[in-house]
Amino acid sequence: MYPALLTAHPKPPATALPLRSLLSARNHTRLLLQRRRCATLKPKIQCAAISNNGIGGNNSWEKWLPKNLFAAEKVFGAISGATSSPIAQYISSPTTFLHSVDPRIKMAWLLAFVVLPAKSNMAVRVGVVIYLALLSVWVQPTEVWKDQLGRVTLLCGILFVLLGLSTDSAPSLLRSRSPPSSVTGLPNLAPSFEGYKYVIMKFGPLQLTSKGLSAATTAACLTFTIFQSASLCLTTTTSEQLAFALQWFILPLKNCGVPVAEIILTLLLSLRFISLVFDEVRNVALGIVSRRIQWEQLTTLETVDVFFTYIRRIFKNIYNHAEQISQAMIVRGFRGDCNSYRVFLSAGSSTKMANIVSCSCLIGFFVCATTLSRF
């Protein structure tokens, strides 16, 4: 019965699929196979986790660099402390002897300190250095002269050691080609009766000679003289008085076409701008120190980036100050012509006795320098 029932129902006729459907099915299978192949051939990007045993991302070249290589905290602390004293700024109190001297006499003293020691011998240079050091102790306040004299002396000491040991330390490659006295029959040259020695000291391969001592003394003494004399003049003289003194000296050059008014205005702006530069250097350094950066946790590149950010911030603030000054001058009517605007300058209050003593000391300094240079 059941076989009859099964055979009683006819099978559905097998209809032939059209050609378009067969082609579309084959294309579909090909696309699936291509996608699978692309998925298998696609590159895989793997990231290694950072581990403490040195395997993975921590194994890079930066870990071999020492951290806190530049001692950044000490550097910024030294910068903020170095500019704490008023460098190249006028100190009105306490009033000293130099405050009551005419600024034109001070300008003559500055010229004498620059020109005469360069043409004199070693004794005059050392004497000028000692005189300026004693004058700084007498005139400037205690916290000012201690800071300035210490730093200028350190700079001049380093310059003296470097020049003294490196000027004539290399052995000479030239040799005398004259025959010895035993061949020529001439007597030997008599040695110096004054005990002159060209080589003074030897430090291994380095040596201190008379030539090196002269060059080192000249450079160190001139550096100390220029820095300290300028500091003394700026701390005891206002910018208007210095501009008046310079204008009094170069005013005859106006007939030769020299722009005297522009030079005086540039000098005034420069003297006013010096204090702004030191203030910005100190303020930005104090801002970095006050943030309490953990320098030990920074890499070397991050520390260098902090230094570059510090320098960039200083220049940005300085340019902002310069733009503010120029805008203030434009608002007040300045249009670039210095001759159309009159700047009122004065010599300040100076006493007659202080001027006489200063002129007498200046003449005595000239006489002593010229007399000692002959011997």
Side-chain angles (χ1 to χ4, degrees), residues 122-139:
M122 191 183 303
V124 176
R125 296 166 190 162
V126 176
V128 170
V129 168
I130 296 174
Y131 171 74
L132 285 175
L134 295 177
L135 189 62
S136 301
V137 174
W138 177 43
V139 171

Side-chain angles (χ1 to χ4, degrees), residues 334-375:
F334 183 76
R335 295 296 182 268
D337 188 9
C338 298
N339 294 319
S340 59
Y341 298 92
R342 186 175 181 181
V343 181
F344 294 95
L345 303 173
S346 63
S349 59
S350 59
T351 59
K352 187 176 181 180
M353 183 59 66
N355 295 334
I356 293 174
V357 173
S358 299
C359 291
S360 302
C361 293
L362 182 61
I363 295 172
F365 177 70
F366 270 100
V367 173
C368 292
T370 53
T371 304
L372 291 176
S373 62
R374 295 179 182 177
F375 299 99

Side-chain angles (χ1 to χ4, degrees), residues 205-246:
L206 303 177
Q207 61 182 5
L208 179 63
T209 60
S210 300
K211 180 181 178 182
L213 180 63
S214 177
T217 305
T218 302
C221 291
L222 285 178
T223 303
F224 185 91
T225 301
I226 291 172
F227 275 99
Q228 201 59 32
S229 60
S231 176
L232 282 172
C233 185
L234 290 174
T235 53
T236 57
T237 314
T238 61
S239 57
E240 290 80 8
Q241 292 176 358
L242 287 175
F244 170 78
L246 183 62

Side-chain angles (χ1 to χ4, degrees), residues 46-326:
Q46 297 180 355
C47 298
I50 298 175
S51 59
N52 295 327
N53 56 2
I55 301 174
N58 198 24
N59 190 11
S60 60
W61 61 273
E62 289 188 358
K63 74 172 187 176
W64 301 104
L65 293 176
K67 295 184 178 181
N68 200 11
L69 179 63
F70 303 102
E73 187 174 3
K74 295 182 179 179
V75 171
F76 284 115
I79 292 173
S80 59
T83 56
S84 59
S85 61
I87 301 175
Q89 296 182 19
Y90 175 70
I91 302 175
S92 58
S93 62
T95 304
T96 58
F97 173 77
L98 288 181
H99 286 81
S100 56
V101 178
D102 193 273
R104 292 168 287 187
I105 301 177
K106 296 179 186 178
M107 195 73 70
W109 270 104
L110 287 178
L111 182 62
F113 280 140
V114 173
V115 175
L116 288 181
K119 300 294 183 179
S120 303
N121 53 9
M122 191 183 303
V124 176
R125 296 166 190 162
V126 176
V128 170
V129 168
I130 296 174
Y131 171 74
L132 285 175
L134 295 177
L135 189 62
S136 301
V137 174
W138 177 43
V139 171
Q140 294 179 339
T142 305
E143 61 274 5
V144 176
W145 70 260
K146 280 185 178 180
D147 184 56
Q148 292 185 3
L149 279 181
R151 298 181 188 279
V152 175
T153 304
L154 178 62
L155 175 64
C156 296
I158 295 174
L159 187 64
F160 177 83
V161 173
L162 293 177
L163 287 178
L165 297 179
S166 62
T167 301
D168 204 13
S169 293
S172 178
L173 300 177
L174 300 177
R175 294 183 179 180
S176 178
R177 302 182 63 181
S178 59
S181 58
S182 60
V183 177
T184 58
L186 298 175
N188 294 325
L189 295 175
S192 177
F193 294 101
E194 298 179 358
Y196 173 77
K197 292 182 180 180
Y198 184 72
V199 179
I200 300 174
M201 291 183 183
K202 282 190 176 183
F203 303 95
L206 303 177
Q207 61 182 5
L208 179 63
T209 60
S210 300
K211 180 181 178 182
L213 180 63
S214 177
T217 305
T218 302
C221 291
L222 285 178
T223 303
F224 185 91
T225 301
I226 291 172
F227 275 99
Q228 201 59 32
S229 60
S231 176
L232 282 172
C233 185
L234 290 174
T235 53
T236 57
T237 314
T238 61
S239 57
E240 290 80 8
Q241 292 176 358
L242 287 175
F244 170 78
L246 183 62
Q247 185 181 17
W248 188 82
F249 280 111
I250 67 175
L251 192 60
L253 299 177
K254 189 176 181 180
N255 300 324
C256 301
V258 177
V260 177
E262 295 181 2
I263 293 174
I264 299 303
L265 182 61
T266 305
L267 176 64
L268 284 173
L269 293 176
S270 301
L271 293 176
R272 294 291 181 87
F273 207 73
I274 290 174
S275 59
L276 293 177
V277 173
F278 282 108
D279 288 340
E280 288 300 328
V281 171
R282 179 173 179 266
N283 292 334
V284 178
L286 284 175
I288 295 176
V289 172
S290 62
R291 282 169 173 79
R292 306 297 297 173
I293 300 175
Q294 300 295 331
W295 299 101
E296 294 80 7
Q297 299 179 2
L298 298 181
T299 60
T300 305
L301 295 180
E302 292 173 346
T303 306
V304 173
D305 184 65
V306 173
F307 275 100
F308 277 105
T309 305
Y310 168 70
I311 297 173
R312 185 169 61 249
R313 175 60 63 179
I314 289 174
F315 279 99
K316 183 179 180 180
N317 294 345
I318 289 173
Y319 290 148
N320 289 335
H321 282 296
E323 185 178 1
Q324 292 173 4
I325 292 173
S326 63

